[in-house]
């Protein structure tokens, strides 16, 4: 029945059929049987495979591991759903109308659309979180059997089973050696929510319980990450680094000119364009760089994190030749152009390998350390620091938030995680609220009169009048209660 139903979708392919009946496997493999009914089935399958060019391969497996197929073949659907409670209640039937798309093509289209919504690196990160969660399940629930690959409905059922599953996973991450950092644990939980989304799963997942939220707050305090992410690069330090690279390109050793030009152009472009590291290391091709007649440079990013469409960014020349992004691009293009390979990434190392995020972070820390930055600042820098530093510098310049989002192509309030308040800004804020002797002289003239007092033994008690003082209903046994105001 499976061959007759799905043969058009298996055309020109090889299909392996597992069965727990050795006699049936032998008959279909030899394509011969003395039983009339079995012989008719063999002829129907053989003719269908010949028509659609399908190669069938049969393998035997024990019946104890084939309970799902055994229940369906015996029409024991209650038993099937008891073994696999998350199975689809409606069968997947191929379309009989050739003009309509089949269920297989529709399912494939759904998978493609779902994958297109996430970046490749994001999918890899979610897959890693799923593998860690699977290890926790095998560790925390050794008596239960879980499939090798969890599907969306499996994640949804586990996350909906109760808070103990998520709480146990948080404890498992804390018990690892070394323990997972607090941001990593939150990323894992977000990944599990994303993995639980599927075409047959309900829309909403239960929110994390109050106890789960408490565990996450405790995790933030006990397992702080060794290096804080998205720390901004100070504007002055960025200018000194880029200036130093431009100067070294002219006066430094010739053997290192490629590195000076490469990192000088990459750092300058990353800052002025507020680019993500993947946008200029992976999605910027040599054909995507254009020098315009008016002296500007146009960069065409093939795709970004928030859209699959190309993005065009125009960089204008600056007054300082050592800090100008257009001059930095031209210096590097003089070395890059003879290499050719227009379809490759624009930023290439001297050995032909594309520039990567690890190399950007390493060179940034090396330059910051050479210019006298503190060890704490050096450790906090990464390839994200250019983007975060550009957003912070724009915020310091009083650029509206919507313009900052447009500058860095942010689609949500995630931009707030990239903007940092500088110590100088905090000092100015403290200075604006600081008290001065003039404030004291003015306030002394505005002091309210002293309230009346009466003596009780040796103590003087102030009784400020209040319109919101409660009185109990039993005046004989309930004294007046002071200091409790009525609710608004």
């Amino acid at each position: 029945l499976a061959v007759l139903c799905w043969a058009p979708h298996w055309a020109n392919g090889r299909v392996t059929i597992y069965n727990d009946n050795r006699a049936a496997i032998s008959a279909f493999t030899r394509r011969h049987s003395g039983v009339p009914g079995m012989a008719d089935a063999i002829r129907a399958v053989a003719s269908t495979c010949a028509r659609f060019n399908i190669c069938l391969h049969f393998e035997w497996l024990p019946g104890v591991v084939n309970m799902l197929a055994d229940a369906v073949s015996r029409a024991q659907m209650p038993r099937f759903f008891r073994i696999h409670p998350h199975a689809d209640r409606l069968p997947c039937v191929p379309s009989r109308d050739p003009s309509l798309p089949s269920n297989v093509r529709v399912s494939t289209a759904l998978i493609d659309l779902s994958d297109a919504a996430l970046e490749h690196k994001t999918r890899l990160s979610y897959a890693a979180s799923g593998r860690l969660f699977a290890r926790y399940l095998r560790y925390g629930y050794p008596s239960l059997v879980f499939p090798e690959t969890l599907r969306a409905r499996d994640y949804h059922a586990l996350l909906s089973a109760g808070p103990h599953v998520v709480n146990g996973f948080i404890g498992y991450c804390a018990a690892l050696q070394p323990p997972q950092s607090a941001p990593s644990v939150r990323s894992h939980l977000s990944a599990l929510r994303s993995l639980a989304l599927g075409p047959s799963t309900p829309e909403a997942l239960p929110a994390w319980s109050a106890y789960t939220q408490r565990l996450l707050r405790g995790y933030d305090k006990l397992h702080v990450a060794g290096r804080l992410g998205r720390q901004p690069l100070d504007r002055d330090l960025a200018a000194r680094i880029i200036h130093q690279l431009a100067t070294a390109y002219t006066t430094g050793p010739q053997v290192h000119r490629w590195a000076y030009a490469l990192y000088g152009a990459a750092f300058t472009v990353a800052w002025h364009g507020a680019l993500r590291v993947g946008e200029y290391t992976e999605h910027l091709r040599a054909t995507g760089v254009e020098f315009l007649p008016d002296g500007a440079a146009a960069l065409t990013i093939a795709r970004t994190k928030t859209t699959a469409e190309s993005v065009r960014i125009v960089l204008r020349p600056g007054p300082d030749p050592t800090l100008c992004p257009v001059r930095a691009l031209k210096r590097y293009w003089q070395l890059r152009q003879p290499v050719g390979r227009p379809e490759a990434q624009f930023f290439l190392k001297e050995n032909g390998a594309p520039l990567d995020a690890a190399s950007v972070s390493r060179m940034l820390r090396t330059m910051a350390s050479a210019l006298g930055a503190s060890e704490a600042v050096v450790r906090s820098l990464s390839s994200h620091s250019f983007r975060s530093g550009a957003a912070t510098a724009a915020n310091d310049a009083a650029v509206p938030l919507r313009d900052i989002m447009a500058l860095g192509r942010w689609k949500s309030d995630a931009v707030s995680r990239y903007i940092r308040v500088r110590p100088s800004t905090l000092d100015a804020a403290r200075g604006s609220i600081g008290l001065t002797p003039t404030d004291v002289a003015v306030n002394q003239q505005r002091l309210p009169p002293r309230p009346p007092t009466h003596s009780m033994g040796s103590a003087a008690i102030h009784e400020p009048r209040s319109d919101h003082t409660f009185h109990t209903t039993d005046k004989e046994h309930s004294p007046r209660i002071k200091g409790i105001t009525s609710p608004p």
Side-chain angles (χ1 to χ4, degrees), residues 165-476:
V165 177
V166 177
N167 297 342
F169 179 62
I170 295 175
Y172 177 79
C173 293
L176 292 175
Q177 293 298 329
Q180 296 280 306
S181 65
S184 297
V185 172
R186 293 184 179 273
S187 298
H188 292 326
L189 297 182
S190 299
L192 295 181
R193 280 190 173 276
S194 178
L195 293 172
L197 298 177
S200 60
T201 56
E203 289 294 329
L205 277 170
W208 304 136
S209 66
Y211 186 68
T212 302
Q213 298 288 350
R214 176 185 291 184
L215 291 179
L216 292 175
R217 290 194 298 269
Y219 211 112
D220 292 336
K221 295 180 180 180
L222 295 180
H223 299 283
V224 181
R227 178 175 58 82
L228 299 177
R230 299 188 180 92
Q231 290 301 298
L233 175 63
D234 185 77
R235 182 174 183 174
D236 297 335
L237 181 58
R240 292 167 57 197
I241 291 175
I242 295 173
H243 174 79
Q244 186 69 21
L245 289 171
T247 304
Y249 173 83
T250 305
T251 62
Q254 294 293 320
V255 68
H256 299 313
R257 289 190 69 195
W258 187 289
Y260 295 145
L262 169 65
Y263 288 104
F267 289 1
T268 309
V269 167
W271 177 273
H272 288 87
L275 299 177
R276 300 177 180 90
V277 63
E279 291 176 348
Y280 64 90
T281 59
E282 298 179 16
H283 303 307
L284 178 61
R285 307 291 174 176
T287 55
V289 179
E290 179 185 1
F291 296 101
L292 304 179
D294 60 353
L299 307 180
T300 301
I301 310 297
R303 61 176 301 175
T304 67
K305 183 179 180 180
T306 55
T307 178
E309 300 176 355
S310 61
V311 175
R312 182 180 174 88
I313 300 174
V314 178
L315 300 178
R316 300 295 176 183
D320 191 334
T322 61
L323 303 178
C324 174
V326 179
R327 289 177 180 267
L329 286 172
K330 288 182 177 180
R331 281 194 296 268
Y332 172 69
W333 184 240
Q334 290 177 356
L335 303 177
R336 169 69 172 83
Q337 188 175 15
V339 177
R341 298 174 59 188
E343 74 287 347
Q345 285 86 345
F346 176 70
F347 289 113
L348 298 178
K349 299 180 182 179
E350 194 170 7
N351 60 2
L355 185 65
D356 55 86
S359 300
V360 172
S361 300
R362 185 164 51 249
M363 187 63 175
L364 176 60
R365 297 191 191 109
T366 301
M367 293 298 299
S369 177
L371 293 175
S374 64
E375 183 179 356
V377 171
V378 172
R379 287 192 297 107
S380 69
L381 296 178
S382 68
S383 56
H384 275 292
S385 298
F386 291 102
R387 182 171 170 82
S388 181
T392 302
N395 183 72
D396 293 343
V399 177
L401 183 60
R402 64 178 181 275
D403 294 340
I404 298 178
M405 295 177 63
L407 173 68
R409 299 160 303 285
W410 281 285
K411 300 295 185 181
S412 66
D413 59 355
V415 63
S416 60
R417 292 183 292 175
Y418 286 80
I419 298 176
R420 296 290 189 272
V421 180
R422 300 184 186 277
S424 58
T425 305
L426 293 178
D427 293 339
R430 295 188 186 98
S432 65
I433 63 173
L435 300 178
T436 63
T438 305
D439 298 325
V440 176
V442 173
N443 290 331
Q444 283 180 345
Q445 300 176 3
R446 300 178 181 176
L447 291 177
R450 186 177 182 181
T453 62
H454 71 271
S455 298
M456 180 180 288
S458 59
I461 300 179
H462 297 271
E463 289 189 356
R465 298 183 61 183
S466 174
D467 296 335
H468 302 289
T469 304
F470 280 122
H471 296 273
T472 59
T473 56
D474 189 350
K475 297 182 179 180
E476 181 179 356

